[in-house]
Amino acid sequence: MHLIDWLVILVYTVITLGLGFLLTRKASKGIESYFASDRKLAWWLAGTSMAATAFSSDTPLLVTGIVRRKGIWGNWEIWALAISTMFSVFFFSRLWKRAGVLTEVELVELRYSGKPAAFLRGFKAIYWGMIYNAFIMGAWPMTGLVKVMQETTDWSKVTSIIFCMAITMIYCHFSGYWGVVVTDFFQYITAMAGAILLAFYAVHAAGGMQAMLHQLSPEKLMIIPPASGHAPLEYLQSPFGWFLALLTIQWWAWKNTDGGGILVQRIASCKNERHAVLATLWFNIAQYALRSWPWIITALASLVLIPDLADHERAYPRLIAMLLPTGLKGMMIASFFAAFMSTMSTHLNWGASYFVNDFYKRFIRPEASEKHLVTVARLAQIFLACAAMGVAFFTSSISGVFTFVLNLSAAIGPVYLLRWFWWRTNAWSEVLALASSLPVILLRPHFFHALGVPENLAFDLLFMILGSAAVWLPVTLMTAPAPDDQLRLFYAKVRPPGFWSRFAQETEAASEWTEALKVWGISTAAILLVTIGPLKLLLGQILSGALLTGSAVILWIYVGTKLQEKK
């Protein structure tokens, strides 16, 4: 890269670090400030922070790899999760805000009680906040940025990892959650600008949109996966069977089925319940409708420009090095830094919040001062950063880890969903679902081989769900539920829908939740249409694209009127 490119990156880095230092005092007042911005965030800031966190340095590479291997339709592995995240808009954002917890793990001792609940809270704080979190940081965003730096500079993997993590640690260490959400706002804009910029140059280099499309096979341009075979088993093994498994099972059978820890942190930080709903809705629009198309277009162009690249995920950074002129290349690398830093700073802050709030303060030093707890949080972030760097050294495939995590968490999602709707679930339900997930996924290939059943996504997910349920469901029914007083307290505070009538003093109107269910269905259709419709227009499919986009506009008008009625 040219000196001018490095100067652009330097300016971006200095501005980011400056914001971190400016917010040091504001973040250091206590853990409410350090982890939740004193619960004063407006919806647009919280929602953009959610989107910036999901817009990581690995996701353009992940999408590029998916499109190059399968075609546009491969993105349903990501798009199908919109069904779940839109459910969070109209159901769980309200429930989490009512719960008033600082972290997702804190809910455990509000929903359950006694020693099992205390053990579960401490275990989840370490498992999700430290172990799982370090793995995710190293395997996804850090691996993504390392590939970018290796393709655009002459840096080694070691140098790339240490440099990128050091910059993130400095500003996250001092600024806390305030720094995370404020810089997320600017980082999302920077990252989107970079993605659109590269898409423009890639299409131009490929000879323009029409010339590019003519050089691609029709299979790569399909948005709905193709079906093949006549027998039911053959049909399930086809790409369309995979697609059906995503739409019918995957979206509710994963770890974040009720929102997940990072979204919960943003929801908890919002001013009120209405801001929580709007923040989660804006996140979904930014996540699916806005960010998808530039990556997909760039990935298609890469098939024309560098068709024989062995590591498909490297095609995206390879185009940066090939196509962008001096100055703009530096801006593009800065946009990757923006995406990386927004995700990593969030994970560092979120993981530290679990450790401090749900383990250290709960079990080690309950009387610790706010200043002491903030210091411990900063030390926890250093540990997480070092652990993530260790993971990054041994990770090569982003998409492989992504699919593995989705399948692994399928054993946990049903329990996370049921704890809101069924009073009978208890702490042991979660303990056994967590404990059984890894053994079940390790047994899966041996089980399929013994029965002569070929592996596919539908069978994989069902095996994970049923195999885990065979452990946690009998234990749930054989062990005592949470005490009635605890369940009444939980219901009075959260007022969830479902099977709670025996604990309800004033039952939340069923019509409210029925209406929310209807709006969820319509808004989910709207988010998918507004994701696919404009993409079809860009691909020259004018009639179908206009029809889908127009339908999306009509549905969004309806959703907007319903939200206005709730004001």
Side-chain angles (χ1 to χ4, degrees):
M1 289 199 302
H2 194 275
L3 177 62
I4 295 175
D5 296 312
W6 287 111
L7 288 175
V8 172
I9 295 171
L10 178 64
V11 169
Y12 168 77
T13 304
V14 169
I15 291 172
T16 302
L17 292 177
L19 282 171
F21 286 119
L22 284 173
L23 292 165
T24 298
R25 181 175 295 179
K26 195 175 185 66
S28 301
K29 294 188 296 184
I31 59 172
E32 283 276 329
S33 179
Y34 197 80
F35 295 133
S37 297
D38 299 313
R39 304 182 190 263
K40 293 179 179 179
L41 291 187
W43 65 268
W44 56 271
L45 190 55
T48 304
S49 181
M50 294 178 191
T53 298
F55 193 142
S56 182
S57 54
D58 62 285
T59 36
L61 281 67
L62 171 67
V63 170
T64 300
I66 288 172
V67 172
R68 285 175 64 91
R69 285 192 303 272
K70 299 178 180 179
I72 295 175
W73 61 265
N75 282 279
W76 281 103
E77 189 166 10
I78 300 170
W79 292 342
L81 298 178
I83 307 172
S84 174
T85 51
M86 288 302 290
F87 200 68
S88 295
V89 174
F90 298 101
F91 283 84
F92 293 118
S93 60
R94 297 164 63 186
L95 300 178
W96 280 114
K97 190 60 184 173
R98 292 174 187 177
V101 294
L102 184 64
T103 68
E104 180 265 337
V105 173
E106 190 178 339
L107 181 79
V108 168
E109 289 194 294
L110 176 63
R111 174 62 176 82
Y112 315 122
S113 68
K115 292 182 179 179
F119 167 79
L120 179 62
R121 182 177 178 182
F123 175 79
K124 289 177 70 174
I126 299 299
Y127 180 75
W128 292 125
M130 306 300 284
I131 300 172
Y132 172 87
N133 195 24
F135 174 75
I136 292 301
M137 286 191 291
W140 290 347
M142 194 173 291
T143 297
L145 188 59
V146 165
K147 289 187 177 185
V148 172
M149 298 305 293
Q150 287 181 307
E151 287 289 338
T152 56
T153 70
D154 58 357
W155 287 4
S156 68
K157 187 172 186 177
V158 174
T159 303
S160 300
I161 290 173
I162 293 174
F163 176 81
C164 298
M165 201 62 204
I167 296 296
T168 304
M169 269 303 305
I170 291 171
Y171 104 91
C172 184
H173 182 79
F174 289 102
S175 64
Y177 188 65
W178 275 110
V180 170
V181 295
V182 170
T183 52
D184 274 354
F185 181 78
F186 298 103
Q187 286 167 344
Y188 181 77
I189 296 171
T190 304
M192 277 299 301
I196 294 170
L197 178 73
L198 184 60
F200 174 81
Y201 272 89
V203 171
H204 179 74
M209 184 66 74
Q210 291 304 316
M212 181 186 81
L213 295 177
H214 283 307
Q215 297 178 70
L216 295 170
S217 65
E219 291 77 14
K220 295 296 184 184
L221 301 177
M222 295 176 68
I223 292 178
I224 301 299
S228 60
H230 300 287
L233 188 58
E234 293 176 346
Y235 193 75
L236 282 174
Q237 287 181 273
S238 72
F240 193 76
W242 168 87
F243 169 68
L244 291 179
L246 293 175
L247 293 187
T248 57
I249 305 172
Q250 180 75 85
W251 69 268
W252 56 267
W254 71 311
K255 174 187 175 293
N256 294 335
T257 186
D258 63 348
I262 291 175
L263 260 65
V264 171
Q265 187 183 30
R266 270 90 182 132
I267 290 168
S269 306
C270 287
K271 294 179 180 180
N272 53 44
E273 193 175 307
R274 176 173 171 76
H275 278 265
V277 171
L278 292 175
T280 317
L281 179 60
W282 165 235
F283 155 69
N284 277 273
I285 295 170
Q287 163 88 339
Y288 300 105
L290 297 184
R291 79 171 192 173
S292 293
W293 68 265
W295 294 342
I296 292 171
I297 296 299
T298 302
L300 292 174
S302 77
L303 286 168
V304 174
L305 298 170
I306 39 176
D308 300 323
L309 189 63
D311 185 347
H312 292 302
E313 292 172 354
R314 287 184 179 268
Y316 197 89
R318 182 71 59 87
L319 290 182
I320 297 174
M322 285 173 52
L323 303 178
L324 295 186
T326 299
L328 289 181
K329 188 179 295 183
M331 177 187 167
M332 190 67 196
I333 301 301
S335 78
F336 261 90
F337 270 105
F340 174 79
M341 293 174 73
S342 66
T343 300
M344 294 299 289
S345 60
T346 290
H347 276 272
L348 290 171
N349 185 272
W350 166 61
S353 74
Y354 277 25
F355 179 78
V356 172
N357 186 65
D358 301 296
F359 185 79
Y360 188 83
K361 181 183 177 183
R362 172 65 178 82
F363 299 104
I364 308 299
R365 291 281 300 275
E367 301 87 11
S369 68
E370 292 292 308
K371 183 178 179 181
H372 176 79
L373 292 175
V374 170
T375 300
V376 173
R378 287 171 170 154
L379 293 174
Q381 289 175 342
I382 295 173
F383 172 82
L384 276 169
C386 293
M389 287 192 291
V391 173
F393 283 116
F394 299 98
T395 303
S396 58
S397 172
I398 298 167
S399 59
V401 174
F402 181 77
T403 302
F404 174 80
V405 169
L406 286 180
N407 289 347
L408 176 66
S409 65
I412 303 162
V415 177
Y416 282 8
L417 195 64
L418 284 172
R419 65 184 177 180
W420 296 96
F421 299 107
W422 187 33
W423 66 272
R424 191 62 181 79
T425 55
N426 58 34
W428 293 113
S429 308
E430 290 197 35
V431 170
L432 270 297
L434 284 167
S436 63
S437 59
L438 186 58
V440 170
I441 202 171
L442 293 176
L443 285 171
R444 184 186 62 194
H446 303 289
F447 181 83
F448 286 163
H449 178 73
L451 294 181
V453 176
E455 292 188 57
N456 65 62
L457 184 62
F459 290 161
D460 288 352
L461 292 174
L462 287 173
F463 183 81
M464 288 298 301
I465 294 164
L466 297 177
S468 176
V471 177
W472 68 259
L473 186 56
V475 172
T476 299
L477 298 175
M478 289 188 292
T479 53
D484 285 2
D485 289 347
Q486 183 76 20
L487 294 172
R488 288 193 183 93
L489 176 67
F490 175 77
Y491 184 86
K493 188 169 189 178
V494 179
R495 304 190 308 282
F499 305 98
W500 291 92
S501 57
R502 61 176 288 191
F503 301 104
Q505 301 297 323
E506 294 182 14
T507 305
E508 188 88 343
S511 59
E512 267 194 63
W513 293 111
T514 303
E515 181 67 19
L517 191 65
K518 182 175 73 173
V519 177
W520 163 63
I522 293 171
S523 62
T524 300
I527 198 72
L528 293 175
L529 289 175
V530 83
T531 299
I532 296 170
L535 180 60
K536 278 181 167 285
L537 291 173
L538 286 170
L539 296 175
Q541 302 171 24
I542 304 300
L543 183 59
S544 59
L547 181 61
L548 293 178
T549 304
S551 299
V553 170
I554 293 170
L555 294 179
W556 279 119
I557 292 172
Y558 173 82
V559 173
T561 59
K562 290 298 179 182
L563 289 173
Q564 192 64 26
E565 290 173 5
K566 294 282 186 182
K567 189 172 181 179

